């Protein structure tokens, strides 16, 4: 075949499969071979489910040959390793769950399987999704395909790196404070954090329940809309799942940027934003203007406090969510004389330093005498942040902002927790407000990709895709990591 | 010397009642008691990673009903919170419970004190929460178990209603009266099966003493997980004496959680590595809040069955003595049986009498429960009618009742087949009386001369002639008429 | 701001973590730094602001009381570090 399959979009692959120009078995072998060749350097995968994928591909071929199947049928995919897949080890990149085999699949995974996906494997991440570089995986760090000396971002670093390296056509990640969008930005791919409640959280191993959301990482905006359409929708197993049925997120994709009112929050263009990143954002704003959008300055006055609120709320929820890893029902158990010792020994051996740090922080924030000062105060700030966005969205359709203050940094560069946390400044407020946001590559700085972020009103993912698609077509970001040139 | 001479007891009780839903509070596993270990479990109630709770509507309905039955205000907005603590029977190491917005609060229930007066016991609040699993210890008790323990999570996630009383109870007897009344209300309201022997209701009691006449409260101790009313009573008696002993000796009560050792009949300090509890409550992010509309509350009020006190009043209104009414409402099955039997219109007092003394005595003797009894309510009512109409005598009735209990046959069938009908025909009896008077002139004269007991002899003669089938009351009357 | 060693130990015990001496020292410092940063929230007067627990609030999300399937016990115990006679097994409690 003279087409470079790793360059094909998900939609194209689907067409080739349905046209029977390509079999799912061939496509799966192609990706398994690429994983075998490229992943030893990138290390995006924690586990590769080669045998299962091959069997599944043959099943999908049978379906396709019978004329059945949809746009995703037979197209391989990979899941972040905090998304449960029945029978497959789901580790959350933690020693605590190194051998955990869930007897159930996440609803998003089930929907994906229902849509005909062939799951290639489970992807690396920061342990329990806590981190921004994938350096906190308990097993190994993932490398940025653009520069192996740099981090891929995190916590969905494996997902972004696999899509960037062309070792998965698309991936499913999770985003609590930027964990889809920031690695998407670092790796030059498209990442969507949908509205809280748009995709079921059932089977997503919880980090911070009121913030976590599953979303797709893809190479193109159109692919992203396609995948989100497959995984979104109400789930009676998740009480926080939105009751409204989403439509087809791809429907309005090509309607263009003309007439869109786009706000640029002035608070996002201050110290800390790398000049190379700012340039890409400003360029994007000009492009959108040239496409007929109205771009204006807006204000989100409480953004300075968002990180403080987030680093109280997320650790508080995490300290409670991760209490269950005690060595009784599943997961790591350390030998001990009595139950309390066992709890302590198992948890101390099971969790890495960042997870422990956040558990400590959250436990402290919730403990007697501090609840009002920290947790409650943070929940109140959340109200102000939500109101900030409401005011902006009364005037603007979408917000354009950086995704991360810098491009991907080098391993070990971000050693101080607080400065690592500050890197989430553009993504965190979105989770606090439960809004949808997408990051797409819009340029390079020093050879590394830079993502821009569109933020929209609750459940207006379609409008984000429309804006992002318009920008994507204008930018025509065709650069690829050198590593992926081999085929 | 009993503590009561010098001290007044101040006691409050937290009651944990398993609600009578078919499924657990946050998942579709069965709540049925007695299944094999770890067979009523699923990823949700085992707290497996990534699983999420979804609230059972019926649990909320029952909690609202309980709140109404206990004269509480029902919250308009209620929510769940996580109570964080580590214990191996708690699958997530937090209990999903309710902290600052319980479903019901500020209620009361009325008890009758030993002195015979009425007293309102305040209900601080009632809230929903999930039960924990069950630990099976290899040793005899938790404190003596040296080897490991085993965990069964069948009970984990069974919906509980925790009802917190005000510290209004002043004696073990009042505590008992409160719990008896509370359990009965929950049972009648259908909130809980209240099967204490299966551990479906458990009690935590708080107790402190204060010198008589003082208003301020002493330091309290808490005894957790008592599972019978008698354990509560014995525990309170023991602990009050223990505290009195400490106070008498000039000592101080340590605020602590103690355990009631059923075998040794004493409370023991539960010293654990965990000193002060710090539950770190925060709003449960996996569940959305409840908005309880007045319409919802009203529909629950309408669905509420007649409660024990209303039923007692009604029975007294029907003509029962307060004592009989009390006996009947003390047992929900008995009360329902009584109501069912009433439908065919028997004499109320006779029915009550036959139900509470004759049938109950018979069931006791036979070791049967009312539920398993072959005598259906309508059949008992029919028997009562036969007696009341004079068709059979009370003595015959007892024989018929026994036969009904053994065979399940209708009383009419038995009376017919056994030819037990009573002769109540006045003309027929009048002829027989004439015959007896003619044959026994001396006895007739004796009676006329003032010997009352001669009448008994004459009645006996009529009974002999009829092989015991004559209606004795009627014979009596006819004899008297003819002799006077 | 740094939090005291005793505070770190208290919190570690609440969270059932054993910490090494080095970890205790690190956490005292790092937690102190994050908390003093978080302390900026106290600069704001939020007394009149309602807290937000969920950004997209829903109410009365309920399921009907209809029994569903439980798991096979074997499957329930499949991930258990130790299981005996159909129970999850743990070391002694006290």
């Amino acid at each position: 075949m003279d087409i470079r399959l790793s360059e094909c979009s998900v939609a194209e692959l689907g067409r080739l499969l349905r046209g029977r120009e390509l079999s799912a078995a061939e496509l799966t072998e192609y990706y398994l071979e690429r994983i075998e060749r490229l992943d030893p350097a990138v290390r995006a995968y924690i586990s590769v489910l080669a045998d299962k994928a091959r069997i599944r591909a043959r099943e999908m071929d049978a379906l396709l040959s019978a004329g059945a199947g949809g746009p995703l049928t037979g197209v391989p995919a990979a899941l972040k390793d905090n998304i449960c897949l029945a029978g497959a080890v789901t580790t959350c990149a933690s020693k605590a769950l190194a051998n955990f085999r869930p007897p159930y699949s996440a609803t998003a995974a089930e929907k994906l399987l229902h849509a005909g996906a062939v799951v290639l494997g489970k992807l690396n991440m920061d342990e329990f999704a806590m981190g921004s570089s994938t350096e906190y995986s308990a097993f190994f760090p993932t490398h940025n395909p653009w520069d192996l000396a740099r981090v891929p971002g995190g916590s969905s670093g494996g997902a972004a790196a696999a899509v960037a390296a062309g070792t998965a056509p698309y991936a499913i990640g999770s985003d609590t404070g930027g964990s889809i969008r920031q690695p998407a930005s670092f790796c030059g791919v498209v990442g969507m954090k949908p509205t809280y409640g748009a995709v079921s959280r059932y089977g997503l191993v919880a980090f911070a329940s009121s913030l976590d959301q599953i979303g797709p990482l893809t190479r193109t905006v159109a692919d992203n809309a396609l995948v989100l359409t497959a995984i979104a929708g109400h789930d009676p197993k998740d009480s926080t799942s939105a009751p409204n049925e989403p439509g087809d997120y791809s429907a309005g994709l090509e309607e263009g940027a003309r007439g869109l009112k786009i706000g640029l929050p002035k608070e996002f263009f201050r110290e800390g934003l790398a000049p190379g990143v700012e340039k890409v954002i400003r360029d994007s704003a000009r492009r959108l203007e040239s496409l007929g959008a109205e771009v204006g300055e807006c204000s989100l006055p409480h953004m300075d406090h968002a990180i403080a609120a987030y680093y109280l709320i997320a650790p508080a929820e995490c300290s409670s969510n991760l209490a269950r890893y005690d060595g009784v029902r599943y997961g790591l158990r350390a030998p001990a004389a009595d139950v309390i010792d066992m709890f302590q020994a198992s948890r101390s051996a099971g969790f890495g330093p960042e997870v422990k740090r956040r558990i400590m922080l959250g436990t402290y924030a919730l403990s007697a005498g501090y609840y009002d000062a920290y947790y409650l105060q943070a929940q109140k700030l959340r109200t102000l942040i939500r109101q900030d966005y409401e005011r902006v969205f009364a005037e603007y359709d979408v917000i354009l902002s950086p995704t991360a203050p810098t491009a991907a940094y080098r391993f070990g560069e971000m050693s101080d927790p607080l400065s690592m946390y500050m890197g989430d400044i553009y993504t965190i407020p979105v989770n606090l407000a439960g809004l949808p946001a997408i990051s797409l590559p819009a340029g390079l700085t020093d050879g590394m990709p830079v993502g821009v972020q569109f933020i929209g009103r609750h459940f207006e993912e379609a409008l984000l895709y429309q804006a992002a698609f318009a920008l994507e077509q204008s930018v025509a970001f065709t650069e690829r990591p050198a590593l992926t040139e081999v085929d | 010397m009993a503590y009561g001479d010098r001290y007044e007891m101040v006691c409050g009780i937290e009651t944990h009642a398993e609600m009578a839903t078919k499924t657990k509070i946050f998942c579709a596993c069965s709540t049925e008691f007695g299944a094999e270990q770890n067979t009523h479990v699923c990823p949700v109630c085992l707290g497996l990673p990534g699983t999420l709770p979804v609230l059972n509507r019926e649990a909320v309905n029952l909690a609202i009903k309980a709140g109404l039955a206990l004269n509480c205000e029902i919250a308009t907005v209620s929510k769940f919170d996580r109570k964080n603590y580590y214990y191996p029977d708690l699958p997530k190491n937090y209990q999903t419970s309710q902290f600052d917005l319980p479903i019901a609060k500020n209620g009361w229930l009325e008890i009758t004190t030993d002195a015979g007066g009425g007293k309102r016991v305040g209900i601080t609040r009632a809230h929903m929460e999930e039960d924990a699993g069950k630990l099976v210890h290899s040793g005899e008790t938790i404190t003596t178990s040296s080897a490991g323990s085993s965990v069964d999570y069948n009970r984990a996630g069974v919906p509980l209603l925790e009802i917190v009383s005000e510290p209004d109870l002043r004696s073990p007897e009042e505590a008992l009266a409160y719990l008896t009344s509370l359990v009965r209300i929950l049972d009648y309201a259908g909130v809980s099966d209240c099967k204490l022997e299966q551990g479906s209701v458990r009690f935590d009691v708080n107790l402190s003493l204060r010198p008589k006449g003082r208003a301020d409260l002493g330091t309290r101790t808490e005894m957790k997980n008592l599972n019978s009313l008698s354990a509560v009573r014995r525990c309170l008696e023991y602990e009050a004496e223990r505290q009195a002993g400490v106070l008498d000796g000039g000592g101080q009560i340590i605020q602590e959680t103690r355990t009631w050792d059923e075998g040794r009949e004493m409370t023991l300090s539960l010293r654990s590595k965990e000193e002060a509890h710090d539950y770190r409550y925060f709003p449960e992010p996996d569940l959305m809040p409840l908005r309880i509309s007045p319409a919802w509350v009203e529909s629950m009020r309408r669905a509420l069955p007649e409660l024990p006190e209303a039923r007692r009043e009604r029975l007294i209104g029907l003509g029962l003595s307060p004592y009989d009414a009390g006996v009947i409402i003390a047992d929900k099955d008995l009360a329902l049986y009584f109501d069912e039997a009433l439908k065919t219109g028997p004499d109320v007092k006779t029915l009550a009498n036959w139900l509470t003394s004759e049938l109950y005595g018979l069931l006791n003797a036979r070791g049967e429960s009312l539920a398993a009894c072959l005598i259906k309510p309508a059949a008992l009512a029919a028997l009562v009618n036969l007696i009341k109409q004079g068709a059979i005598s009370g003595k015959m009735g007892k024989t018929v009742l026994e036969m009904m209990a053994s065979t399940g046959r209708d009383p009419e069938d038995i009376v017919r087949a056994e030819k037990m009908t009573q002769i109540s025909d006045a003309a027929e009896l009048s002829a027989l009386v004439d015959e007896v008077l003619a044959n026994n002139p001396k006895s007739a004269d004796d009676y006329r001369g003032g010997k009352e007991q001669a009448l008994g002899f004459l009645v006996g003669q009529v009974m002999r002639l009829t092989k015991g089938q004559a209606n004795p009351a009627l014979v009596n009357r006819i004899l008297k008429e003819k002799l006077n | 701001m740094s939090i005291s060693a005793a505070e770190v130990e208290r919190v570690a015990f609440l969270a059932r973590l054993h910490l090494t001496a080095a970890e205790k020292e690190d956490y005292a410092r790092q937690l102190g730094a994050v908390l003093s940063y978080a302390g900026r929230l106290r600069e704001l007067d939020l007394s009149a602001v309602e807290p937000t627990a969920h950004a997209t609030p829903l109410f009365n999300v309920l399921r009907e009381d209809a029994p569903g399937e439980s798991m096979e016990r074997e499957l329930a115990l499949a991930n258990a570090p130790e299981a005996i006679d159909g129970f999850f097994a743990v070391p002694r409690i006290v």
Side-chain angles (χ1 to χ4, degrees):
Chain A
M1 189 171 293
D2 52 3
I3 318 164
R4 277 196 59 191
L5 290 175
S6 68
E7 283 298 304
C8 287
S9 71
V10 172
E12 283 163 349
L13 292 174
R15 275 192 292 274
L16 292 171
L17 288 166
R18 283 198 306 287
R20 302 276 69 197
E21 294 169 61
L22 174 69
S23 73
E26 285 170 314
L27 185 59
T28 300
E29 282 311 323
Y30 172 85
Y31 272 101
L32 289 173
E33 187 278 328
R34 274 184 78 86
I35 292 169
E36 203 172 309
R37 188 151 42 86
L38 300 177
D39 203 54
V42 176
R43 308 216 70 184
Y45 282 86
I46 288 179
S47 52
V48 178
L49 304 169
D51 294 342
K52 284 184 181 173
R54 288 187 175 108
I55 294 167
R56 171 86 181 161
R58 281 197 294 275
E59 289 167 4
M60 292 305 103
D61 274 330
L63 254 173
L64 288 160
S65 296
L72 297 180
T73 307
V75 181
L79 304 175
K80 186 177 180 179
D81 209 17
N82 58 352
I83 297 168
C84 289
L85 183 66
V89 175
T90 298
T91 68
C92 289
S94 178
K95 288 181 200 159
L97 285 179
N99 298 308
F100 175 64
R101 236 174 251 278
Y104 46 88
S105 290
T107 299
E110 252 172 25
K111 281 178 175 268
L112 216 52
L113 292 175
H114 182 74
V118 174
V119 178
L120 295 169
K122 306 294 294 288
L123 298 163
N124 202 17
M125 55 190 278
D126 288 294
E127 183 178 2
F128 282 104
M130 296 173 204
S132 308
S133 66
T134 319
E135 289 169 287
Y136 286 116
S137 164
F139 305 133
F140 46 79
T142 295
H143 297 260
N144 193 313
W146 292 78
D147 176 353
L148 295 174
R150 290 175 193 264
V151 301
S155 67
S156 309
V163 175
T167 52
Y170 69 95
I172 305 296
S174 71
D175 189 317
T176 306
S179 278
I180 288 173
R181 292 158 288 158
Q182 182 257 24
S185 175
F186 279 17
C187 291
V189 303
V190 180
M192 167 67 101
K193 197 282 298 181
T195 308
Y196 185 80
V199 180
S200 169
R201 292 185 299 114
Y202 188 85
L204 167 68
V205 180
F207 159 15
S209 312
S210 76
L211 303 165
D212 295 343
Q213 189 57 196
I214 288 176
L217 294 99
T218 56
R219 269 197 307 284
T220 71
V221 173
D223 281 357
N224 209 287
L226 193 62
V227 176
L228 184 60
T229 303
I231 62 172
H234 177 68
D235 180 9
K237 288 193 273 192
D238 175 1
S239 306
T240 64
S241 164
N244 44 315
E245 278 309 317
D248 179 356
Y249 291 112
S250 309
L253 207 57
E254 296 181 26
E255 285 179 21
R258 182 159 306 279
L260 277 184
K261 291 183 181 156
I262 299 173
L264 280 175
K266 62 180 182 194
E267 290 81 4
F268 285 2
F269 296 89
R270 289 192 196 152
E271 56 174 324
L273 181 61
V277 175
E278 179 167 356
K279 183 177 177 303
V280 172
I281 312 305
R282 300 270 184 213
D283 284 350
S284 299
R286 271 191 292 276
R287 281 179 186 280
L288 289 161
E289 266 178 327
S290 70
L291 294 170
E294 292 172 39
V295 180
E297 190 184 78
C298 63
S299 174
L300 296 166
H302 294 97
M303 293 305 122
D304 279 355
H305 292 90
I307 289 190
Y310 177 87
Y311 279 98
L312 294 171
I313 292 168
E317 292 182 9
C318 121
S319 72
S320 175
N321 282 332
L322 271 64
R324 68 188 66 191
Y325 306 106
D326 61 4
V328 177
R329 293 156 301 278
Y330 45 81
L332 182 80
R333 172 187 292 194
D338 65 37
V339 158
I340 292 185
D341 276 348
M342 185 198 74
F343 285 170
Q344 291 177 309
S346 303
R347 292 168 58 75
S348 303
F351 296 141
E354 182 60 24
V355 172
K356 284 183 198 166
R357 184 152 46 230
R358 297 203 195 187
I359 290 174
M360 290 287 291
L361 188 56
T363 305
Y364 184 93
L366 289 176
S367 72
Y370 301 109
Y371 179 86
D372 285 359
Y374 291 116
Y375 188 79
L376 187 64
Q377 199 79 349
Q379 296 278 58
K380 287 178 169 187
L381 192 85
R382 217 173 155 177
T383 305
L384 297 183
I385 287 173
R386 214 187 56 211
Q387 290 168 348
D388 277 1
Y389 282 113
E390 281 166 11
R391 270 190 297 274
V392 171
F393 285 129
E395 206 178 330
Y396 295 96
D397 297 316
V398 294
I399 292 169
L400 176 66
S401 97
T403 305
T406 65
Y409 43 85
R410 289 185 175 76
F411 283 99
E413 209 173 303
M414 205 67 86
S415 57
D416 168 52
L418 194 53
S419 33
M420 177 172 83
Y421 299 167
M422 298 302 280
D424 303 331
I425 188 151
Y426 307 119
T427 47
I428 273 174
V430 173
N431 297 76
L432 289 173
L435 300 167
I438 189 169
S439 176
L440 73 152
L444 293 175
T445 177
D446 296 330
M448 293 303 289
V450 175
V452 300
Q453 175 177 231
F454 285 106
I455 304 164
R457 298 183 191 103
H458 288 136
F459 302 106
E460 291 199 353
E461 282 84 354
L463 194 62
L464 292 185
Y465 282 131
Q466 183 188 325
F469 186 79
L471 181 63
E472 179 188 51
Q473 300 307 304
S474 167
V475 170
F477 184 84
T478 51
E479 289 84 354
R480 290 287 178 265
L483 176 124
T484 62
E485 292 306 317
V486 278
D487 200 21
Chain B
M1 195 166 60
Y3 72 92
D5 300 344
R6 297 156 338 271
Y7 299 104
E8 183 180 44
M9 175 186 287
V10 176
C11 169
I13 302 182
E14 292 169 18
T15 302
H16 301 257
E18 286 184 353
M19 289 194 275
T21 54
K22 293 190 200 74
T23 67
K24 293 186 179 182
I25 187 165
F26 298 127
C27 67
C29 283
S30 166
T31 54
E32 205 181 314
F33 179 80
E36 268 197 55
Q37 64 270 21
N38 293 308
T39 53
H40 287 175
V41 295
C42 75
V44 176
C45 59
L46 280 179
L48 262 50
T51 60
L52 296 169
V54 185
L55 181 59
N56 183 340
R57 181 190 302 277
E58 186 61 10
V60 183
N61 286 342
L62 293 178
I64 295 173
K65 283 185 182 175
L68 292 172
L70 297 171
N71 307 296
C72 290
E73 298 162 19
I74 306 299
T76 49
V77 175
S78 185
K79 69 174 169 72
F80 284 88
D81 301 273
R82 291 188 185 174
K83 179 180 182 179
N84 293 283
Y85 67 95
Y86 284 83
Y87 211 67
D89 64 3
L90 200 57
K92 303 179 293 287
N93 285 318
Y94 60 79
Q95 181 188 32
T96 301
S97 180
Q98 300 195 284
F99 183 52
D100 57 337
L101 293 174
I103 185 111
K105 62 178 182 184
N106 297 337
W108 50 266
L109 67 78
E110 184 101 11
I111 61 167
T112 310
T113 60
D114 271 4
K119 172 175 174 167
R120 270 190 186 186
V121 178
I123 306 287
T124 315
R125 56 183 280 158
H127 69 253
M128 298 175 274
E129 60 186 24
E130 56 184 337
D131 206 347
K134 225 177 221 166
L135 280 169
V136 182
H137 305 293
S138 54
E140 284 198 351
T141 68
I142 183 167
T143 40
T144 60
S145 178
S146 56
S149 295
S150 301
V151 201
D152 169 13
Y153 290 107
N154 281 351
R155 206 179 65 184
V158 169
L160 289 180
L161 188 70
E162 178 174 331
I163 300 145
V164 182
S165 86
E166 290 288 305
D168 286 348
L169 304 165
R170 294 290 173 268
S171 67
E173 292 70 33
E174 283 191 11
L176 217 61
Y178 164 72
L179 292 180
T180 305
S181 175
L182 176 62
V183 164
R184 193 181 291 159
I185 289 171
L186 296 178
D187 187 19
Y188 271 80
V191 170
S192 173
D193 294 338
C194 293
K195 289 181 178 150
L196 273 71
E197 67 285 0
Q198 295 180 357
S200 77
V201 188
R202 306 185 295 275
F203 312 100
D204 297 347
V205 299
N206 289 297
L207 173 71
S208 65
L209 296 184
R210 60 184 172 196
K212 282 197 154 176
R214 286 270 287 279
D216 52 331
L217 295 170
T219 306
R220 65 196 167 94
T221 57
E222 185 177 26
M223 278 63 64
K224 283 186 177 278
N225 254 324
L226 299 160
N227 53 19
S228 74
L229 300 191
S230 104
V232 170
R233 184 178 46 77
R234 286 175 290 135
C235 172
L236 288 176
E237 279 164 1
Y238 174 87
E239 180 64 9
E241 291 296 349
R242 185 192 73 82
Q243 288 192 11
V246 172
L247 294 171
D248 286 345
Q252 287 197 326
I253 304 300
I254 303 161
Q255 182 164 346
E256 61 179 349
T257 299
R258 300 174 67 86
T259 181
W260 170 247
D261 189 317
E262 187 74 44
R264 287 194 275 175
E265 295 258 331
M266 61 194 298
T267 65
L268 298 167
S269 181
L270 251 191
R271 291 209 188 285
S272 73
K273 286 190 198 174
E274 181 143 31
E275 297 121 39
H277 282 293
D278 183 346
Y279 291 129
R280 288 158 286 136
Y281 280 101
F282 74 104
E284 166 59 274
D286 287 330
L287 292 169
M288 293 300 192
L290 291 167
R291 271 187 185 162
I292 300 161
S293 66
W296 189 354
V297 175
E298 273 321 299
S299 71
M300 288 303 109
R301 198 190 298 279
R302 281 196 301 275
L304 210 52
E306 188 181 32
L307 296 173
E309 283 318 304
R311 196 175 275 263
R312 183 203 301 272
E313 294 306 314
R314 179 168 57 82
L315 295 187
I316 291 172
L318 289 175
L320 292 193
S321 69
Y323 176 81
D324 279 347
V327 171
I328 288 174
I329 66 140
D331 180 338
K332 182 183 161 195
D333 287 344
L334 193 61
L336 294 180
Y337 189 102
F338 183 76
D339 266 7
E340 192 59 34
L342 267 185
K343 283 183 182 166
T344 52
D347 179 71
V348 178
K349 284 185 198 171
T350 315
L351 176 66
N353 189 40
W354 275 81
L355 180 57
T356 58
S357 35
E358 302 305 334
L359 181 58
Y360 238 56
L362 182 67
L363 290 177
N364 270 339
R366 295 172 64 97
E368 282 177 11
S369 72
L370 193 57
C373 175
L374 293 178
I375 306 173
K376 297 300 146 212
L380 182 69
L383 176 64
V384 168
N385 281 335
L386 289 174
I387 297 161
K388 193 70 191 170
Q389 289 154 13
I392 57 171
S393 66
K395 199 172 168 222
M396 285 174 181
K398 288 182 193 180
T399 312
V400 174
L401 190 72
E402 276 178 39
M403 296 174 82
M404 288 164 74
S406 306
T407 63
R409 284 161 68 200
D410 284 340
E412 293 91 342
D413 284 353
I414 296 171
V415 165
R416 209 176 301 122
E418 305 294 325
K419 300 196 168 54
M420 280 167 136
T421 23
Q422 187 167 251
I423 303 168
S424 294
D425 181 45
E428 187 181 347
L429 289 178
S430 186
L432 288 166
V433 167
D434 288 343
E435 188 184 333
V436 167
L437 287 176
N439 293 338
N440 299 281
K442 186 171 181 298
S443 297
D445 286 345
D446 285 352
Y447 178 77
R448 288 191 194 97
K451 277 191 173 178
E452 288 279 332
Q453 59 271 50
L455 189 68
F457 171 78
L458 293 168
V459 172
Q461 292 305 305
V462 179
M463 297 308 281
R464 197 178 54 82
L465 279 176
T466 60
K467 297 191 177 73
Q469 286 180 304
N471 181 334
L474 195 53
V475 171
N476 223 311
R477 210 181 70 216
I478 296 171
L479 264 170
K480 279 184 180 170
E481 280 167 14
K482 289 188 189 280
L483 288 169
N484 291 334
Chain C
M1 175 180 165
S2 181
I3 62 175
S4 73
E7 279 281 71
V8 170
E9 276 180 33
R10 181 184 70 87
V11 173
F13 182 72
L14 277 177
R16 295 296 184 273
L17 292 171
H18 270 313
L19 300 181
T20 63
E23 281 176 322
K24 282 180 199 167
E25 216 172 280
D26 282 354
Y27 289 151
R29 202 183 56 249
Q30 291 162 346
L31 261 55
V34 176
L35 289 169
S36 63
Y37 180 77
R40 300 173 57 187
L41 289 182
R42 279 181 282 186
E43 298 163 2
L44 302 169
D45 177 13
L46 302 178
S47 52
V49 180
E50 284 295 311
T52 292
H54 289 103
T56 51
L58 300 167
F59 292 91
N60 302 348
V61 181
L62 299 161
R63 43 169 272 272
E64 300 310 315
D65 188 24
E69 291 276 298
S70 287
M71 288 164 97
E72 293 291 325
R73 183 163 68 195
E74 205 179 309
L75 199 57
L77 296 168
N79 279 296
E82 194 186 350
I84 300 170
D85 299 334
F87 289 98
F88 293 87
V90 295
R92 65 184 162 83
I93 304 286
V94 192

